Amino acid sequence: MERYETPDLRVTLYKNGTSIRDIANEKVKDEDQDEPKREDVDDPFYLYDLGDVVTKDKLWAKLLPNVEVFFAVKSNPDPVIIRLLIGLGKSFDCASKKEIKMVLDLGASADRIIFAHPYKQESHLRFAKEKGVRLMTFDTAEELQKVKRVHPKAQLVLRIRYDDSTATFKYGSKFGCRGEEVRPLLEIAKKLGLDVVGISFHVGSESSNPQIFRDAIRFTRPLFDIGTSLGFNMKLLDLGGGFPGRLYPKATFDKFADVITRALDEHFPASSGVRIIAEPGTFHTRSAGYLVANVIAKRVNKVDINERRERVSDGDEPFIWIYYLNVGVFSGLNGKLFDPEYFDLPEPLHEPLRNRDLKPSTIFGPTCDSNDVIMANCMLPELDTGEFVLFHDMGGYTATCACDFNGFSLPPTWYIAPKEIRLVLEKTFPAQ
Ligand SMILES: Cc1ncc(COP(=O)(O)O)c(C=O)c1O
């Protein structure tokens, strides 16, 4: 296969129309003499499609041209993705010293970073100051005192709470002040002589309710005016994350973009001079990632009827097919620990799901921990020991949280991209 290669990057370029399944099957065979071999032929691996990241970013620019992207590094701090986004002119939401350092080392300037963690470790805040990162969030008086002490020239963005009940991950119990706390907090900031420049919210990740953005933007408008009345130059609105990023989202991005555009036109029109930013993570990364894993063992158990769960109980099948993969919730399928629905069922790599009979099945990860359950009581085509399966939507918040438990490490990453983005790659990752 054609490649784009530099000393620190190797991307397999595929022809438009080639399926990820075909690309993954080629990788599994390990036959290409010019590609480095996997350590073991049955090892798992990720595929990151850089073309998907570029396509998402183009879609954002088309539908929300006036909302600047501060990519949430936490969703996937892969250096290649970060460099690609730097090349595309994006800015970054960092939550820690390490994330800030990484983004700066990869070439972003300090004014392209928001330190979007309302509770900052003091040494990390000092680091931000040393590096010239000024934009940051807060939501308590306590944090204001810390900022006054450590980084008094910071430009502060007050994070408010506005939760979407449909979001898979909600943050309101952990971050964000309530509407009635805004004035007292801004008054404290004023007394301390700090510079508050705007307001942020995060409706929760993987929202399926675009209208929540209309409500949140409308709710924010009078809070902005409180800031202005206290003498702050309120010039920034941060819409946070929450945008859909899956291959098949419940609500598509265009619906979110439409609601946001209308709400901004009404409450923060261009004439208001307010800079609008957002911190998408899931949106740019989730569907760009695929994981290929191997079925290392299989067992067919008789099921005690009392142990059956709803989803298996169709028909009289008294057995459950149990599989063990060489990736589990600790080593690459980590999103599963936080949300049982985080992934769709994997597909056998060599043939699509529809070609085999479905069996009541459970898939475990490889570790000794009984929580290492990838899918419990689902209907899957029968798999064989030794075959590979393909997971999609693996690009966000899953590799990020992996550890080496039981010696099953994070699988390596192979980058792929459609040939059409070769020019973008050449520009962003020059061969030197
Ligand atoms: C402050 C902040 N901004 C942005 C994000 C990214 O959110 P999403 O992945 O939903 O786009 C998160 C996710 O945790 C966050 O905490």
Side-chain angles (χ1 to χ4, degrees):
M1 272 198 174
E2 194 178 322
R3 263 175 302 278
Y4 178 69
E5 235 179 308
T6 71
D8 50 3
L9 177 72
R10 166 186 289 265
V11 185
T12 303
L13 298 176
Y14 63 84
K15 261 203 245 134
N16 203 1
T18 315
S19 72
I20 298 293
R21 171 189 299 280
D22 288 346
I23 298 168
N25 268 308
E26 280 302 310
K27 286 275 179 224
V28 157
K29 283 194 236 150
D30 240 355
E31 283 172 359
D32 191 334
Q33 294 309 316
D34 297 327
E35 289 280 323
K37 300 274 173 245
R38 302 204 307 286
E39 189 173 330
D40 288 304
V41 288
D42 45 6
D43 275 349
F45 57 91
Y46 281 103
L47 288 176
Y48 282 173
D49 186 356
L50 302 179
D52 196 77
V53 179
V54 173
T55 304
K56 287 284 190 60
D57 195 57
K58 277 193 184 148
L59 183 66
W60 184 288
K62 183 172 164 213
L63 299 183
L64 285 178
N66 299 323
V67 181
E68 279 175 61
V69 168
F70 278 64
F71 171 69
V73 173
K74 58 184 82 70
S75 79
N76 195 333
D78 179 282
V80 172
I81 291 183
I82 305 289
R83 266 184 73 185
L84 180 64
L85 289 169
I86 291 174
L88 294 172
K90 303 300 113 177
S91 298
F92 297 89
D93 148 15
C94 297
S96 61
K97 172 179 175 177
K98 195 166 175 181
E99 286 188 356
I100 294 174
K101 183 169 180 337
M102 178 192 189
V103 168
L104 291 174
D105 288 351
L106 289 172
S109 54
D111 61 351
R112 281 169 66 178
I113 293 176
I114 179 166
F115 194 169
H117 196 316
Y119 312 116
K120 292 162 279 299
Q121 187 173 321
E122 196 162 311
S123 49
H124 294 197
L125 184 56
R126 206 168 296 119
F127 180 77
K129 182 186 169 200
E130 280 162 24
K131 297 295 172 188
V133 175
R134 292 179 69 197
L135 199 58
M136 60 191 62
T137 58
F138 78 102
D139 62 13
T140 59
E142 172 96 14
E143 191 73 6
L144 283 175
Q145 299 288 353
K146 192 195 292 170
V147 173
K148 171 76 184 168
R149 201 170 53 248
V150 180
H151 194 349
K153 295 257 160 51
Q155 295 187 318
L156 291 159
V157 179
L158 176 55
R159 175 146 169 195
I160 58 160
R161 175 177 185 170
Y162 207 93
D163 287 329
D164 173 20
S165 59
T166 74
T168 307
F169 302 100
K170 302 175 185 68
Y171 305 119
S173 62
K174 191 165 178 183
F175 303 114
C177 71
R178 295 186 310 277
E180 64 268 26
E181 293 175 276
V182 168
R183 181 179 286 278
L185 277 172
L186 292 181
E187 283 172 354
I188 294 169
K190 193 85 213 162
K191 271 201 200 113
L192 291 172
L194 294 169
D195 186 15
V196 178
V197 297
I199 292 189
S200 78
F201 56 77
H202 193 311
V203 299
S205 287
E206 307 222 12
S207 162
S208 52
N209 172 21
Q211 300 300 338
I212 194 75
F213 278 91
R214 177 200 59 197
D215 300 344
I217 291 168
R218 182 192 289 155
F219 181 77
T220 307
R221 177 69 257 179
L223 306 179
F224 246 74
D225 298 336
I226 295 176
T228 309
S229 71
L230 289 171
F232 290 113
N233 182 7
M234 301 290 281
K235 54 188 178 207
L236 185 130
L237 171 62
D238 177 355
L239 309 178
F243 309 94
R246 294 175 85 129
L247 221 43
Y248 310 109
K250 287 193 196 130
T252 48
F253 179 65
D254 55 334
K255 304 226 166 52
F256 284 80
D258 185 47
V259 170
I260 289 169
T261 304
R262 286 162 194 260
L264 290 175
D265 280 351
E266 187 177 344
H267 303 290
F268 294 91
S271 58
S272 67
V274 174
R275 179 184 181 200
I276 314 290
I277 71 167
E279 300 164 358
T282 302
F283 176 77
H284 280 82
T285 52
R286 185 87 139 95
S287 62
Y290 295 82
L291 176 66
V292 176
N294 190 262
V295 180
I296 55 173
K298 167 181 179 179
R299 190 168 99 189
V300 184
N301 267 11
K302 193 135 193 173
V303 184
D304 175 344
I305 198 75
N306 299 319
E307 281 180 14
R308 285 191 158 197
R309 302 203 192 143
E310 283 160 6
R311 288 168 69 185
V312 187
S313 59
D314 59 328
D316 293 316
E317 189 59 82
F319 296 104
I320 182 146
W321 276 252
I322 301 176
Y323 305 102
Y324 300 83
L325 300 189
N326 53 0
V327 183
V329 300
F330 299 102
S331 56
L333 288 159
N334 205 276
K336 203 75 200 174
L337 278 180
F338 315 118
D339 172 23
E341 309 281 322
Y342 202 62
F343 309 123
D344 293 335
L345 293 175
E347 296 176 50
L349 188 58
H350 298 297
E351 57 177 342
L353 278 176
R354 60 181 175 279
N355 295 351
R356 300 188 201 179
D357 285 346
L358 299 181
K359 304 285 189 194
S361 310
T362 286
I363 315 178
F364 287 113
T367 65
C368 61
D369 194 305
S370 57
N371 292 307
D372 198 356
V373 185
I374 299 164
M375 303 270 171
N377 302 305
C378 56
M379 296 303 286
L380 262 191
E382 184 167 359
L383 302 170
D384 293 324
T385 300
E387 79 168 297
F388 285 90
V389 290
L390 176 71
F391 291 87
H392 60 82
D393 283 337
M394 298 297 304
Y397 301 105
T398 186
T400 324
C401 318
C403 65
D404 266 355
F405 183 41
N406 263 211
F408 293 96
S409 312
L410 182 68
T413 297
W414 297 86
Y415 301 98
I416 60 173
K419 287 183 182 174
E420 293 80 67
I421 73 155
R422 193 186 178 106
L423 272 180
V424 177
L425 298 177
E426 283 172 2
K427 200 168 142 234
T428 315
F429 306 93
Q432 278 137 27

